[in-house]
Amino acid sequence: MCLLFVSYHSTPGYRLVVAANRDEFLDRPTAPLNYLDAEQMILAGQDLEGGGTWLGITRNGRLGAITNYREPSRQLLNSPTRGEILLNYFKGNSGAGRFLEKLALKADQYNGFNLVLGDCEELYYYSNRTLKKPQLLQPGFYGLSNHLLETPWPKVTRGKELLAPHMVKTETIKPEKLMDLLGDTWRPHDSKLPDTGVPLEWERLLSSIFIDSPGYGTRSTAVITFSESGTVQFYEKTFLRSAQREIQPVLVAFSINE
């Protein structure tokens, strides 16, 4: 996943609201949102190549999200898939803080990543690029892309500005409105682009909230809400591209109770 916004105890009537885009190569096989286990405890999409996931929840109220840390100069060959981290958390019994403390001991085995793990009572952030210990998040509205939490990349700053009126300063979350806003294709001037080590053409391509290009783009958009009443809703819109490059969105929605 490449872009994540989290409102944690900051939206009236909701304990947690998440909005996210997953960007990926179009030929990477992926399964859309569904239960990943026979007991129907884990709800997430699935990367069919690596076997993991990028965003998911469980029936007992756990949330997990991961983004890659963009640094092509430090890519490890044959490293474990980062998507397995979320599945290990979902399947285990450890709290998020303890799970991340154990993960930190072997985190250098993975390519760069950012994690947001926890539930409505404790939410943590951890990156294997700068943090030795997981960071317990305070109530607030956070943005994360392929650098560190709250790094003010143009797409993160713009996303927070677009989403805040509909994700934080509201008493009713409208998932389709959030998804529409996450379809924004504005790109900043070259002078505002980050320098992450990829060619300028790729910095431009990756700078928009929604990415649409031959071979690579935003594959899905998701919104997750944890209400004060205990209802959890997960919406995912998958984008199918035709041979004529037309985008055909398919929306799937699930509701569960904690």
Side-chain angles (χ1 to χ4, degrees):
M1 190 170 60
C2 292
L3 190 58
L4 177 72
F5 299 95
V6 178
S7 175
Y8 181 54
H9 288 288
S10 295
T11 305
Y14 298 86
R15 289 179 277 179
L16 184 62
V17 181
V18 174
N21 275 352
R22 181 199 181 217
D23 306 328
E24 185 54 87
F25 288 100
L26 303 184
D27 61 358
R28 189 174 180 108
T30 298
L33 180 66
N34 210 329
Y35 289 104
L36 302 187
D37 57 330
E39 296 76 22
Q40 296 192 344
M41 286 291 296
I42 303 170
L43 183 59
Q46 188 170 27
D47 170 24
L48 297 179
E49 182 172 310
T53 187
W54 56 95
L55 175 68
I57 59 175
T58 67
R59 280 194 179 275
N60 57 0
R62 294 189 179 208
L63 168 87
I66 188 167
T67 72
N68 296 342
Y69 188 99
R70 194 190 308 159
E71 49 174 2
S73 64
R74 292 184 61 182
Q75 289 297 298
L76 301 173
L77 298 177
N78 302 316
S79 63
T81 179
R82 288 163 286 195
E84 72 176 13
I85 298 173
L86 295 189
L87 293 183
N88 290 339
Y89 171 61
F90 292 149
K91 293 175 181 178
N93 297 317
S94 297
R98 181 59 179 154
F99 176 87
L100 289 171
E101 288 176 355
K102 292 181 179 179
L103 176 65
L105 300 177
K106 59 178 182 179
D108 58 355
Q109 300 176 12
Y110 295 90
N111 283 310
F113 65 78
N114 296 285
L115 278 173
V116 175
L117 294 184
D119 53 36
C120 294
E121 304 304 324
E122 289 189 329
L123 194 64
Y124 287 85
Y125 166 70
Y126 175 72
S127 171
N128 69 336
R129 282 299 172 256
T130 62
L131 298 181
K132 301 298 183 182
K133 295 182 180 181
Q135 173 187 347
L136 180 63
L137 295 179
Q138 299 303 309
F141 183 37
Y142 299 93
L144 174 64
S145 186
N146 300 117
H147 201 257
L148 302 177
L149 186 68
E150 288 290 270
T151 296
W153 282 5
K155 65 192 301 181
V156 174
T157 301
R158 181 173 175 84
K160 292 184 71 173
E161 291 173 352
L162 291 174
L163 293 171
H166 307 279
M167 189 171 172
V168 181
K169 302 173 184 178
T170 181
E171 294 184 359
T172 304
I173 296 295
K174 298 179 180 179
E176 292 202 1
K177 179 62 177 180
L178 297 183
M179 290 180 172
D180 287 344
L181 293 172
L182 287 174
D184 183 73
T185 57
W186 171 87
R187 294 183 182 180
H189 188 272
D190 285 357
S191 62
K192 303 296 184 181
L193 295 175
D195 182 5
T196 62
V198 300
L200 177 59
E201 292 76 11
W202 272 94
E203 293 288 13
R204 290 170 177 160
L205 171 68
L206 300 173
S207 67
S208 59
I209 291 174
F210 187 93
I211 299 171
D212 181 28
S213 70
Y216 188 89
T218 300
R219 299 280 302 271
S220 62
T221 295
V223 172
I224 302 174
T225 61
F226 289 72
S227 74
E228 291 287 2
S229 65
T231 298
V232 182
Q233 296 181 313
F234 195 147
Y235 305 83
E236 182 185 81
K237 184 182 289 186
T238 300
F239 300 100
L240 305 177
R241 290 165 173 83
S242 67
Q244 294 77 29
R245 303 255 339 275
E246 295 177 347
I247 298 177
Q248 304 169 355
V250 178
L251 178 64
V252 178
F254 283 82
S255 295
I256 64 175
N257 290 323
E258 292 182 280

